[in-house]
Amino acid sequence: MAGTGGAVRMDDPKLDEFLRTREEMYRGFNRAIVWTVASVAAILILLAVFLL
């Protein structure tokens, strides 16, 4: 990291906050994907039960 004004320190509170908020965002995004897939699967199962 020469010439960038110093290396990024791992105890930087702004970096910690950024990583934490990004992790929470990804956790929520993954939860939304799981709920969407589960909902579609449940709808398909119900359609198969009632229509076949």
Side-chain angles (χ1 to χ4, degrees):
M1 285 230 174
T4 59
V8 176
R9 293 171 31 222
M10 291 310 293
D11 59 347
D12 185 7
K14 289 183 179 180
L15 178 64
D16 288 341
E17 183 181 354
F18 168 73
L19 293 176
R20 187 173 64 248
T21 54
R22 189 178 68 170
E23 181 181 346
E24 291 172 359
M25 181 187 69
Y26 282 134
R27 190 178 302 133
F29 187 65
N30 288 338
R31 188 176 298 136
I33 290 176
V34 168
W35 275 107
T36 303
V37 170
S39 299
V40 170
I43 290 172
L44 290 177
I45 290 171
L46 288 174
L47 283 175
V49 166
F50 286 116
L51 295 180
L52 296 179

